[in-house]
Amino acid sequence: MSREDDRRESSEDASGDAVSRADDGPAEIVDSVSGTGIPVRGNDIDTDQIIPARFMKVVTFDGLGEFAFFDQRFDSEDNEKEHPFNEGQYQGANVLVVNSNFGCGSSREHAPQALQRWGIDAIVGESFAEIFAGNCLALGIPTVTASTEEIGALQAYVEENPDTEISVDVDRELVTYGSGDEETAINGDVAAAQHKALVEGVWDTTALMKANANAVRETADSLPYMQSDD
């Protein structure tokens, strides 16, 4: 079992059904995510920080989780730096909490792939680069936005209470954390197209193609430049 599998298993064990999925749509329905959080502070964190370009020379995305935020986590001699992804209290977390313009820079799909393989199932932040959010959607990772004040409060709460569970209700666009008198609810925002794709299970283009295989075949057969296998 790989380290990322270990992390995924740990995350799911810690939070039970960490990601609510069903098979009613062409793809799995993702209407909620729950688990512990990990705050990564800073605006304009670009995709090169999330996954340095030299780690993009891979045949598959397997193993990319090891290299998430690599240059922020390790120096040139591979000694650990201070970074939330290195801290023990956040190992097994699956809800990433970030600030504004997260995922800016290049359009590399390796960035959300690396985060997912590290163990991230949902991201809550002030704002996201559009292409990055689209690449997250292609993996079934919700990107939920909230105000600067709400995100700052959530990051501070997670830093003080790393074991607290965060619930990301994609369908109701609601993020809740804490308990008792400290329970807090954030009315977040999920882009309309992302909301529809996740709660209706139509975010996975490969699954959509398979679900509409006959229509795809009919269209292909009608194209003069396509050769039939028959």
Side-chain angles (χ1 to χ4, degrees):
M1 180 177 290
S2 68
R3 179 172 176 271
E4 65 199 40
D5 288 334
D6 286 332
R7 300 183 56 77
R8 175 73 61 182
E9 184 176 75
S10 174
S11 173
E12 292 176 350
D13 286 345
S15 58
D17 188 12
V19 183
S20 175
R21 298 177 185 273
D23 296 323
D24 295 338
E28 294 173 313
I29 291 172
V30 181
D31 55 9
S32 67
V33 176
S34 61
T36 57
I38 175 169
V40 174
R41 292 181 179 271
N43 298 326
D44 305 315
I45 292 177
D46 61 31
T47 52
D48 194 52
Q49 295 180 60
I50 298 171
I51 183 71
R54 65 183 182 279
F55 297 121
M56 296 170 62
K57 300 174 184 177
V58 293
V59 177
T60 73
F61 295 121
D62 295 341
L64 274 185
E66 296 281 349
F67 306 114
F69 291 111
F70 192 87
D71 289 344
Q72 277 64 51
R73 294 167 56 200
F74 301 96
D75 64 19
S76 59
E77 297 180 348
D78 289 341
N79 298 309
E80 284 193 358
K81 301 178 184 178
E82 290 187 6
H83 190 278
F85 272 52
N86 285 341
E87 297 178 17
Q89 67 267 36
Y90 300 128
Q91 304 308 304
N94 66 332
V95 180
L96 178 61
V97 187
V98 299
N99 296 105
S100 70
N101 201 30
F102 186 80
C104 59
S106 80
S107 60
R108 65 189 67 168
E109 60 184 315
H110 300 66
Q113 289 278 0
L115 294 176
Q116 186 182 59
R117 281 162 172 73
W118 190 86
I120 298 301
D121 294 319
I123 311 177
V124 182
E126 295 176 42
S127 64
F128 299 92
E130 184 175 355
I131 294 176
F132 174 81
N135 288 337
C136 285
L137 175 60
L139 299 176
I141 301 175
T143 49
V144 183
T145 59
S147 71
T148 299
E149 293 74 18
E150 290 169 322
I151 292 299
L154 175 55
Q155 288 176 321
Y157 193 88
V158 172
E159 288 168 348
E160 293 181 5
N161 305 276
D163 294 330
T164 196
E165 180 167 302
I166 301 172
S167 174
V168 180
D169 189 324
V170 178
D171 192 15
R172 295 194 297 161
E173 302 181 49
L174 189 68
V175 179
T176 56
Y177 63 95
S179 60
D181 294 338
E182 294 184 341
E183 185 173 13
T184 301
I186 298 173
N187 288 311
D189 183 69
V190 180
Q194 180 183 140
H195 182 277
K196 175 181 175 64
L198 291 172
V199 301
E200 294 185 8
V202 292
W203 53 270
D204 187 330
T205 54
T206 302
L208 279 174
M209 291 280 286
K210 290 181 178 177
N212 295 279
N214 290 336
V216 172
R217 170 58 63 186
E218 290 175 3
T219 299
D221 289 344
S222 70
L223 300 176
Y225 51 84
M226 293 292 291
Q227 291 185 339
S228 173
D229 294 333
D230 297 335

